Amino acid sequence: MRRMEFERDPDKNGMYYFKIYMWLLTYLKPYKWQMLLFIVCGLLISLSQMSIFRVLQHIIDDIVMAGNAEKFKLIIGGLVLILLCMFAAMAANNLLSRLIREKASRDLQFDCIKQLRRLSFSYYESHAVGETLSLLNSDVQAVQSIYQRHFPSLINNALLLFVALGFVLHMNAALTLATLPCFLLYYLVGPFLTKKTSFWGKIARDRRTDWNRKIYESITGITEMRAYRSESWDLERFQQKHESYNESQKMQFVYRGLRALARQLSSFAGMMVMFVYGAYLNRIGSLTVGEFVAFTMYYQMLSRQSSQLVSIFMDQSLLLHQGEKLKDFMGLEPDVKEAAQPKVLPRIHGNVSFRGVRFGYNDRQILTNFTLEIQAGERVAFVGTSGNGKSTLLKLIDRFYDPNAGEIRLDGVPLKEMSLDQLRDGIGIVFQETYLFGTTIMENIRFGNPEATEAEVHEAAKAANAHDFITALPNGYDTNVGERGVKLSGGQRQRIAIARMFIKNPRIVLLDEATSALDNVSEREVLNALEHLMNGRTTITVAHRLSTVRDYDRIVVLKDGKVAEVGSYDELIAGRGWLYELETDRIAHG
């Protein structure tokens, strides 16, 4: 068991978690008037329920003991009115509770999704997919239970507790003060047991997140595990995660049980005091039989409500650990932000310029003083060995990241000052690994322009040399491609991605080694499609195979994050510089 799991953060005291709880309750703020009505209805329910016990007292004292039958109809009539009021308040309370909890839960879910869309690519590269899925599924659902169950119960139980306490104090203050110290007996050990239960609950939730992440890895890595015959290795790791989670759950249940036992002993002690002292007060004439019966019911109500309140507080304290994760997540700021008043160009021409750009990931510097001018309609290829920043340049152009220093301009305007919508509408990217959604080919192409007609989708597919293979499929454009396009070949997936670009019609096309993973036949088909796509557009390509960019206007060789040399393929080969060495090395190694 790792020691770090049990170290207490001195900054995370009660006030810290109280602030998290208050932040979670801000999702109820838009519904403050409904909350006020909910509280009023809860108060009416509490008063009605407590009044029923007083009616029972009068039935015993005034009718049964005193034999006064004349009051019977009056008391029964009052009881009926109280019940009608209580049932009406309950109906309104339940309706308001459902309305508030559903809307608050929905708002939290939507805000998390919006935040996920706001965050920059650096977040996705530093957080595993399983971790994010656990946050959006387990953590959000757990915190939503505050609105759906715990907070409404907290309000109703607290109202009932205070109203019951007021009734017993008014009925017999001496008997009330005699039994109250028994309630306090619980708090000699209760807070410690609650603290330990909460502590182990937090550990259990963290370990469940690790377990969920392991489940995700086991599913997504099934191909590699079978290829290496590592199923037993994976199962062993799975069992370790599961056993660790079960151990923390067991400790949580142990302390939860001890806490319940302490609470029951405290309640039992109070009942003993109540019966002994109540019998004495009845004997000396300070307490009637009806009052004693009503007091007994009030005491049971107080015991039950205080127990439920403690359980609610404990359950919510466990959820605050997940609320902390959500608050931290919602507090993240994207590295790439749109300007307060972004500039919108009348039309994008496609002139791209890099001016002294520096960029690195964490402590690793990749680009150092990179400067280059690319004219509209020009075809430019970035080549060089791995790790010199070729793909990074494409990410900077589309503002997946911002440079650490220097600037990038589009048609003379710094990217940081441009509208992100216009920038990304004007740029199309074809990656080495194309992502296709698990839907039809029609919808995957239409992803480039959701407003496109069916005829426009067909034209885009023809331009991308994809129409023939699509129509040859059993269901044509309605063929479901499977998860990530698994039912199609690599070349087919790339041509669908190119069709997306045609239907998007960007002024700038970025190609990130779009053919490096394809065989010769597929590469030839994709290159033919790319020829159509690049016509008249600014094209910037990261090339692995120099043969695919021989006819480009310029080839830029990167070395140590800088421009080592620039020129056409023939010029650079004739100059016997870095490109010549790359080409010679490629030929030597086949």
Side-chain angles (χ1 to χ4, degrees), residues 281-325:
L281 292 176
N282 178 258
R283 190 175 64 186
I284 65 175
S286 297
L287 186 70
T288 67
V289 174
E291 287 176 334
F292 181 75
V293 171
F295 193 95
T296 302
M297 292 182 173
Y298 284 129
Y299 177 84
Q300 290 176 339
M301 180 69 72
L302 283 169
S303 178
R304 183 169 64 251
Q305 299 311 124
S306 62
S307 174
Q308 288 180 359
L309 277 175
V310 170
S311 296
I312 291 169
F313 280 121
M314 196 276 292
D315 290 341
Q316 289 190 120
S317 70
L318 294 177
L319 296 174
L320 290 182
H321 181 54
Q322 290 168 292
E324 178 187 9
K325 293 181 182 179

Side-chain angles (χ1 to χ4, degrees), residues 2-18 191-192 194-200 202-203 317 321 324:
R2 293 176 298 175
R3 182 178 180 84
M4 62 179 296
E5 287 185 316
F6 298 91
E7 293 178 352
R8 179 178 176 82
D9 190 338
D11 296 329
K12 295 181 179 180
N13 51 26
M15 183 55 66
Y16 173 81
Y17 286 107
F18 176 75
F192 169 77
T194 299
K195 181 179 176 182
K196 297 295 289 186
T197 304
S198 176
F199 172 74
W200 280 105
K202 292 173 184 177
I203 292 178
S317 70
H321 181 54
E324 178 187 9

Side-chain angles (χ1 to χ4, degrees), residues 6 25 62 107 159 182 204 260 452 455 504 513 573 575:
F6 298 91
L25 293 186
D62 298 339
D107 293 347
L159 288 172
C182 297
K504 183 178 182 180
E513 300 192 50
I573 291 297

